[in-house]
Amino acid sequence: MSYQHEYQASIDHPQAFWKKQADKIQWFKEPSQILAKDANGIDRWFVDGELNTAYLALDYHVLNGRGDQVALIYDSPVTGSKRTYTYSELTEAVARTAGMLAAQGVEQGDRVIVYMPMIPEAAIAMLACARIGAVHSVVFGGFAPHELAVRIDDAEPKVIMTASCGIEVDRVIEYKPILDAAIDLAAHKVGCCLIYQRDTKTCDLTSGRDLDWAETLRHAQPADCATVKATDPLYVLYTSGTTGKPKGVVRDNGGHAVAMKYSMEVVYDMQVGDVFWAASDVGWVVGHSYIVYAPLIAGCTTVFYEGKPVRTPDAGSFWRVCEEYGVKGLFAAPTAFRAIRKEDPDCALAKKYDLSKLKTVFMAGERLDPPTYDWVIEHIQRPVVDHWWQTETGWAIAGNHMGLEPTAVKAGSVTRPSPGYNVQILDSKGKPVGRNEQGSIAIKLPLPPGCLPTIWGNHDRFVAGYLGTYDGYYITGDGGYLDDDNYLFVLGRTDDIINVAGHRLSTGEMEEVVAGHSAVAECAVIGRHSDLKGEEPLGLVLLKDGVDVDEDTLRQELVQRVRDQIGAVASFRDAVIVQRLPKTRSGKILRKVLRNIANNEEYQTPSTIDDPACLGEIEQTLSSKGLR
Ligand code: COA
Ligand code: AMP
């Protein structure tokens, strides 16, 4: 099938195109209306269709003779354990867990927060919610109590599903104190927490609130698959916005299931029985889409890995897992390969393993820098596919479509728009620009199935943040250009979001935490280039008048504040005291120039600047501290 033909069909006749894709999944009631506006005027797919996402991921395969095929492989170097689940076993575990939730009063539409390490019970919890039509909201295990509390208050869950601990290489992270602190901080009171006790470290349960997961499960009856509407929410996943309050990206059931099935074939070239490994975490969108839902809906085997690319135990673990399970498609963030490269520059460890089943390496989550791309190509000798997407879309906006018509790669490009995505580059007035001209990357409406229809509990924020800027377009928040061959080049965010080791973080949120310190009058947090993590945050701090603090002590306190309130995952390690922050005459901090200075990039002094001399001072301060 030619890419051009498929892409054009998706843009010219979206309803016919997506009806054909929708016919490939098993509906309880087939949709007759393919695309319609909802009460908010938002395009919705398959509006009168009915289905169940967990059924598609599990029962469907059992009923079609794949019950004995391995559905999920758990590989945990941090605990030294491995376990496999066939489709039958996983279906049974999910049905019982769904029954356990129902017994706690969880009903269709209720929210359940899943705050879990990378153990199979995390996937089981997600699928169990889907089975009974409850809405899961997974919170990444590396987030601190305050972040969990914010999500509790926004999602208002009936139940929280969690574990006694997570394991970071050789460090045990106790979850119970984090859970207790978050529940204390939150205004919404959660009546029930189901706690999975791990052998590594168990925890005491709070009586009247906490239940032992395994014990409760023993008494649970399996629950059947509920029938949900295509437009009913499957999950809410919080992601960083430009303000301190994260945004709850809503994913519906119908469009998501169709998009997951389609993308497994077209983007990743995965067929029934193939082994797919997304080396990420269920706390991120990659984990939702490509550890849990898509591989299972496609009838593949998914690898569930509790470890790091390095140090668990060494930089050969990716290659070991690929050999051991016959991985055909490996998906990870570029930072993971940079970490491997740092420890094993000649990739000697890969030579120890048989990688003959590995067909393609996929990367996303942050910019793929050419040296990392070249290194993987040189040593692994497989196609490397850079593809670009975001929590909001749930699947690739652009990539090199391995199941369609793979094409020649251009350095620095994420290749071509995926079918369904009418990608346009707009100028500041919202007019499409010419080829090779930079602008804001936007998607002409309608968005394809799978993309968000709203922000949980805050539709105005969805409209204001994504749709309100340019009439008829969704803005991605990334800037870039399309070249003469319609290849897309993503140049980075146009807002204050940074990508640290493939993790999306808000500098605005870090600024709120830093500014909360009693000595700080004002601050700016910017993304500074990091060879390993892509970007790392740097705080520039202006002290309150008359405050006298030692810079090193202040830095340590600020680092601890960010760890306590956002989490270690923010990788906030550097803060410097400055005498002034560059501002416009109307008082807005000029963060872009600060980024340019910290990254040794050329910049032009903005005409709106209040006091240009301030820039030289910042340059000097950062240089003197070795921060540029
Ligand atoms: N629970 C608790 N803490 C966590 C955590 C979790 N799930 N995940 C990360 N952290 C902690 C780390 O232990 C570390 O703590 P420290 O500052 O006390 O050492 C901190 O958060 C930063 O973590 P990370 O950015 O992962 O750095 P690292 O040095 O431990 O590892 C890499 C570096 C590159 C190996 C790692 O970032 C990695 O594997 N990246 C891939 C990311 C990825 O898959 N992203 C998903 C998008 S596809
Ligand atoms: P997240 O929502 O966490 O997946 O982060 C999405 C953001 O990560 C995007 O808006 C981009 O800024 C960045 N991103 C993701 N994939 C890529 C990629 N392949 N190339 C460049 N940036 C990327």
Side-chain angles (χ1 to χ4, degrees):
M1 167 74 76
S2 104
Y3 163 82
Q4 201 48 44
H5 179 269
E6 178 101 345
Y7 182 73
Q8 216 49 54
S10 77
I11 302 302
D12 294 345
H13 307 288
Q15 300 208 38
F17 181 86
W18 288 111
K19 157 115 185 48
K20 207 165 96 191
Q21 304 311 327
D23 287 345
K24 297 182 187 164
I25 66 164
Q26 175 93 53
W27 296 85
F28 292 171
K29 175 172 173 262
E30 288 199 9
S32 62
Q33 265 189 297
I34 301 303
L35 185 63
K37 300 266 185 216
D38 66 12
N40 290 319
I42 303 297
D43 297 301
R44 303 301 299 266
W45 292 96
F46 318 120
V47 279
D48 59 346
E50 291 176 355
L51 75 165
N52 182 285
T53 300
Y55 174 90
L56 293 175
L58 298 168
D59 305 58
Y60 172 81
H61 299 299
V62 176
L63 294 169
N64 282 276
R66 285 194 283 282
D68 293 336
Q69 185 197 306
V70 174
L72 185 147
I73 298 168
Y74 169 58
D75 184 293
S76 170
V78 294
T79 56
S81 51
K82 296 173 186 177
R83 210 182 326 155
T84 60
Y85 290 80
T86 64
Y87 270 96
S88 291
E89 288 165 346
L90 196 58
T91 306
E92 143 79 14
V94 167
R96 288 258 309 282
T97 307
M100 168 168 79
L101 284 173
Q104 306 316 312
V106 177
E107 294 175 1
Q108 206 158 325
D110 285 341
R111 275 79 59 213
V112 173
I113 279 190
V114 177
Y115 183 70
M116 301 277 286
M118 278 294 289
I119 55 175
E121 285 69 21
I124 291 170
M126 293 162 74
L127 289 157
C129 291
R131 192 172 178 92
I132 55 172
V135 181
H136 61 70
S137 187
V138 183
V139 179
F140 177 60
F143 280 131
H146 171 259
E147 291 291 316
L148 180 55
V150 168
R151 287 153 176 81
I152 292 173
D153 276 340
D154 200 72
E156 301 183 320
K158 203 168 236 179
V159 169
I160 298 181
M161 301 176 86
T162 187
S164 52
C165 68
I167 300 148
E168 276 293 293
V169 188
D170 49 6
R171 197 156 43 99
V172 174
I173 312 281
E174 291 187 47
Y175 277 24
K176 184 67 181 358
I178 301 174
L179 176 75
D180 289 346
I183 289 178
D184 272 356
L185 283 170
H188 172 80
K189 290 302 159 208
V190 182
C192 170
C193 299
L194 286 157
I195 303 193
Y196 187 86
Q197 298 280 17
R198 301 191 71 181
D199 293 341
T200 311
K201 184 140 185 73
T202 57
C203 63
D204 293 335
L205 302 184
T206 301
S207 91
R209 186 195 74 188
D210 298 346
L211 294 172
D212 182 285
W213 181 311
E215 179 60 26
T216 316
L217 193 65
R218 254 192 293 283
H219 305 292
Q221 295 301 313
D224 278 342
C225 292
T227 298
V228 303
K229 293 201 198 81
T231 51
D232 282 343
L234 169 68
Y235 68 76
V236 178
L237 176 58
Y238 289 86
T239 190
S240 301
T242 46
T243 66
K245 193 171 187 286
K247 305 184 270 199
V249 168
V250 173
R251 192 85 59 216
D252 67 13
N253 276 273
H256 173 253
V258 173
M260 291 299 98
K261 175 110 171 81
Y262 179 70
S263 63
M264 276 310 269
E265 285 167 26
V266 165
V267 179
Y268 302 102
D269 191 26
M270 291 290 137
Q271 279 84 39
V272 169
D274 286 342
V275 182
F276 191 70
W277 179 26
S280 179
D281 187 290
V282 284
W284 308 113
V285 68
V286 176
H288 283 61
S289 292
Y290 296 108
I291 298 177
V292 180
Y293 287 111
L296 296 178
I297 289 173
C300 296
T301 298
T302 185
V303 179
F304 209 89
Y305 177 72
E306 189 183 22
K308 299 256 175 185
V310 292
R311 294 180 285 143
T312 58
D314 58 27
S317 31
F318 268 30
W319 320 125
R320 193 262 304 161
V321 171
C322 285
E323 176 191 276
E324 200 163 329
Y325 307 116
V327 171
K328 178 177 165 192
L330 164 63
F331 176 177
T335 192
F337 295 96
R338 288 197 295 270
I340 296 172
R341 179 183 176 205
K342 195 162 162 242
E343 297 210 355
D344 183 18
D346 298 326
C347 208
L349 291 168
K351 320 260 163 1
K352 281 175 44 186
Y353 298 98
D354 173 7
L355 300 181
S356 54
K357 296 258 176 62
L358 182 64
K359 214 174 142 221
T360 317
V361 177
F362 298 92
M363 295 199 211
E366 53 166 338
R367 176 174 172 267
L368 171 55
D369 52 299
T372 304
Y373 174 83
D374 292 341
W375 185 82
V376 178
I377 291 272
E378 181 192 343
H379 294 288
I380 304 302
Q381 299 187 353
R382 301 285 187 286
V384 171
V385 171
D386 181 13
H387 58 322
W388 167 67
W389 51 296
Q390 43 189 210
T391 307
E392 290 84 344
T393 65
W395 64 288
I397 309 169
N400 194 0
H401 306 92
M402 299 313 277
L404 197 51
E405 188 189 22
T407 182
V409 170
K410 294 192 193 185
S413 170
V414 292
T415 318
R416 303 183 287 198
S418 295
Y421 287 97
N422 189 346
V423 174
Q424 304 277 329
I425 311 295
L426 305 180
D427 67 15
S428 58
K429 298 206 169 61
K431 292 246 158 18
V433 300
R435 294 284 165 186
N436 302 305
E437 272 185 63
Q438 289 182 24
S440 162
I441 312 180
I443 302 164
K444 195 166 191 300
L445 300 177
L447 292 169
C451 299
L452 82 172
T454 191
I455 295 292
W456 183 260
N458 198 345
H459 189 69
D460 289 350
R461 192 171 180 193
F462 174 57
V463 174
Y466 299 98
L467 305 181
T469 315
Y470 305 125
D471 199 26
Y473 292 94
Y474 163 93
I475 52 162
T476 62
D478 284 292
Y481 64 94
L482 285 161
D483 77 359
D484 294 328
D485 302 316
N486 211 34
Y487 274 52
L488 182 65
F489 290 75
V490 179
L491 300 174
R493 299 287 309 189
T494 53
D495 54 21
D496 293 323
I497 285 170
I498 56 171
N499 245 290
V500 181
H503 307 136
R504 173 168 158 181
L505 297 162
S506 160
T507 52
E509 189 173 10
M510 289 186 229
E511 285 178 6
E512 282 184 23
V513 174
V514 171
H517 187 286
S518 57
V520 175
E522 215 178 350
C523 71
V525 175
I526 53 164
R528 205 171 138 253
H529 173 79
S530 149
D531 283 344
L532 175 65
K533 297 190 179 185
E535 284 182 293
E536 274 188 316
L538 165 68
L540 301 156
V541 174
L542 200 70
L543 296 181
K544 284 182 181 157
D545 282 349
V547 170
D548 182 22
V549 284
D550 169 57
E551 189 173 53
D552 212 38
T553 311
L554 178 68
R555 186 184 59 79
Q556 284 169 23
E557 288 172 8
L558 294 176
V559 167
Q560 198 54 48
R561 274 181 81 81
V562 176
R563 287 179 80 89
D564 289 346
Q565 294 193 35
I566 298 178
V569 70
S571 293
F572 184 89
R573 295 185 220 283
D574 280 314
V576 285
I577 296 173
V578 294
Q579 300 312 313
R580 283 183 296 172
L581 284 166
K583 288 187 179 172
T584 61
R585 280 184 284 276
S586 59
K588 206 168 166 268
I589 297 174
L590 289 157
R591 292 181 176 76
K592 186 164 181 299
V593 183
L594 287 173
R595 272 200 307 271
N596 294 145
I597 293 176
N599 290 310
N600 284 318
E601 293 161 355
E602 275 184 30
Y603 66 89
Q604 288 195 327
T605 305
S607 56
T608 51
I609 195 166
D610 185 31
D611 180 3
C614 169
L615 299 180
E617 283 171 23
I618 302 270
E619 280 186 20
Q620 264 185 4
T621 306
L622 295 185
S623 298
S624 68
K625 313 249 181 249
L627 289 168
R628 68 187 292 266

